Amino acid sequence: MFFFLMVLIVALFQFKAYAYMVAGAYVEDALAASNLASALIDVEEYGRNHNVRIGDTQNSFRVYRDALHYNLALDGEGNSAREELLAGKVQIQEYIVYNVLEQEVQITAYDGEGNCLRQETAQPGSIQTPDGVLVEHTTIYSRVGFRVRGLLGRTIDAEKEKSVDIARSESEE
């Protein structure tokens, strides 16, 4: 009986660990897709100078927020319809656009409500995203917080962050 109980407890922990991995992968995929959806480059700038630059970062944030709501099946208040994966509200914690031009990197950061927190510049090759990615091309970084269900009805706070870069293809066809 004791052996059976131990096997049952180990199996329960293994199942929960797998559920956490699935929830993490689900949120990470949604972050990557939402970051890419918000990569609204300025096509006029690209046509003139071949600079890959996001001109309207405020609009990019709005597109990101809408895409995140769609990709995670969130309602108007940020709660997921996939309650078996995510418990409670998913909150955008940070959204940063790194526009890389020839002589500088323009950094624009937003909070979860879309308020601009800061705008600054840095030297190319000297800046990293909060998740440690060296900014060499125009890059979008985002971080969200969410909860997953734990054992015995408890919830566990979690975060996921993701950076995607938008680089011009140099290949000639």
Side-chain angles (χ1 to χ4, degrees):
M1 177 82 160
F2 179 74
F3 178 72
F4 176 71
L5 186 59
M6 290 303 293
V7 169
L8 184 63
I9 290 172
V10 169
L12 183 62
F13 277 106
Q14 289 289 350
F15 176 73
K16 273 304 179 183
Y18 176 74
Y20 296 151
M21 288 179 7
V22 169
Y26 175 64
V27 172
E28 190 170 344
D29 289 348
L31 281 178
S34 300
N35 284 353
L36 288 172
S38 70
L40 307 171
I41 68 165
D42 184 340
V43 292
E44 289 181 17
E45 172 85 16
Y46 182 76
R48 278 190 304 241
N49 305 324
H50 292 336
N51 288 332
V52 176
R53 179 179 164 273
I54 297 171
D56 186 351
T57 58
Q58 183 75 43
N59 187 48
S60 283
F61 173 81
R62 284 191 294 270
V63 169
Y64 166 79
R65 182 188 57 216
D66 293 345
L68 187 68
H69 276 250
Y70 176 79
N71 291 327
L72 289 177
L74 303 178
D75 63 16
E77 296 176 10
N79 295 308
S80 178
R82 305 276 317 262
E83 291 178 0
E84 70 278 6
L85 291 177
L86 306 176
K89 189 174 183 178
V90 175
Q91 295 181 317
I92 299 170
Q93 296 178 334
E94 195 170 23
Y95 178 82
I96 305 174
V97 175
Y98 298 88
N99 277 317
V100 177
L101 305 173
E102 289 179 16
Q103 301 300 321
E104 69 180 5
V105 178
Q106 297 172 343
I107 305 162
T108 308
Y110 294 93
D111 66 9
E113 302 298 317
N115 301 311
C116 185
L117 297 174
R118 69 181 193 278
Q119 291 181 314
E120 57 191 28
T121 59
Q123 294 298 315
S126 69
I127 192 81
Q128 290 184 343
T129 62
D131 61 343
V133 174
L134 180 65
V135 176
E136 297 177 308
H137 306 284
T138 294
T139 301
I140 296 172
Y141 165 84
S142 65
R143 180 171 47 96
V144 297
F146 57 99
R147 291 179 164 216
V148 292
R149 295 200 191 289
L151 293 173
L152 304 173
R154 295 187 158 196
T155 57
I156 298 170
D157 292 329
E159 285 186 347
K160 272 292 181 182
E161 58 188 350
K162 190 71 176 170
S163 296
V164 296
D165 64 340
I166 305 110
R168 179 170 64 101
S169 175
E170 299 291 333
S171 65
E172 296 182 55
E173 294 182 31

